[in-house]
Amino acid sequence: MTQNLKDLPNYIDNRGNIQAVLESCDIKSISIINSKLGAERATHRHLDIHWILITKGEIWIYERPADSEECPKKTVLKVGDLHLTESNVSHTMYFNLDTEFLCFSDQPRDQENYEKNLVRLPVSLKSIYDAAPYQNG
């Protein structure tokens, strides 16, 4: 699921504004992640859930259900997009621009907990998508 900040509640008065981002959720970790043009990361799936908020650049995220053989879905995430990755959704991120994003997780993301809640994939979902016959008409 992807939403853009402009579509979320924004409380404005003469002092400025307060932009709603995440409501009624249990956040245990917030990370700032920077990725360089051409980088690929996150070829895995999590047992927890996480949200990413794009603050600079763009992410091409490729996703499909865990253990699925279907062609991954590609979504282009732009500045202001807030994207939820559900538990057991395999994904790969590709950065066609220098990019910065925030990652909000419902579980601690120290290295030990991160590895416990992660299943690495043997192949990039981007490479599977790129190798699939053209499907967008």
Side-chain angles (χ1 to χ4, degrees):
M1 176 181 79
T2 303
Q3 299 179 275
N4 193 279
L5 289 180
K6 68 181 177 0
D7 300 323
L8 297 173
N10 192 8
Y11 307 97
I12 301 171
D13 65 20
N14 62 348
R15 300 168 294 170
N17 72 297
I18 298 173
Q19 175 67 63
V21 177
L22 294 172
E23 303 271 352
S24 303
C25 54
D26 187 17
I27 301 296
K28 300 261 187 351
S29 172
I30 302 172
S31 303
I32 300 172
I33 301 172
N34 288 281
S35 295
K36 295 182 179 183
L37 167 70
E40 189 174 304
R41 61 168 73 219
T43 297
H44 55 232
R45 61 185 160 94
H46 297 274
L47 305 177
D48 59 355
I49 63 174
H50 66 278
W51 297 263
I52 57 174
L53 173 61
I54 316 310
T55 55
K56 175 186 167 193
E58 189 174 277
I59 299 175
W60 298 355
I61 188 166
Y62 301 84
E63 298 176 296
R64 69 179 180 190
D67 303 320
S68 170
E69 295 299 319
E70 68 189 49
C71 185
K73 178 184 174 199
K74 176 184 176 183
T75 303
V76 178
L77 304 174
K78 298 181 179 289
V79 171
D81 283 344
L82 179 67
H83 182 79
L84 171 64
T85 300
E86 297 281 359
S87 176
N88 284 310
V89 172
S90 299
H91 55 279
T92 295
M93 294 178 177
Y94 175 79
F95 302 89
N96 68 319
L97 299 169
D98 288 342
T99 300
E100 177 182 88
F101 63 100
L102 298 171
C103 181
F104 305 87
S105 176
D106 69 342
Q107 296 297 314
R109 285 290 174 108
D110 59 273
Q111 196 62 37
E112 181 181 345
N113 283 302
Y114 180 76
E115 293 297 331
K116 277 197 277 188
N117 284 304
L118 181 80
V119 177
R120 297 190 191 282
L121 304 178
V123 63
S124 160
L125 296 183
K126 180 183 183 303
S127 66
I128 294 170
Y129 179 92
D130 290 347
Y134 189 72
Q135 298 181 21
N136 297 322

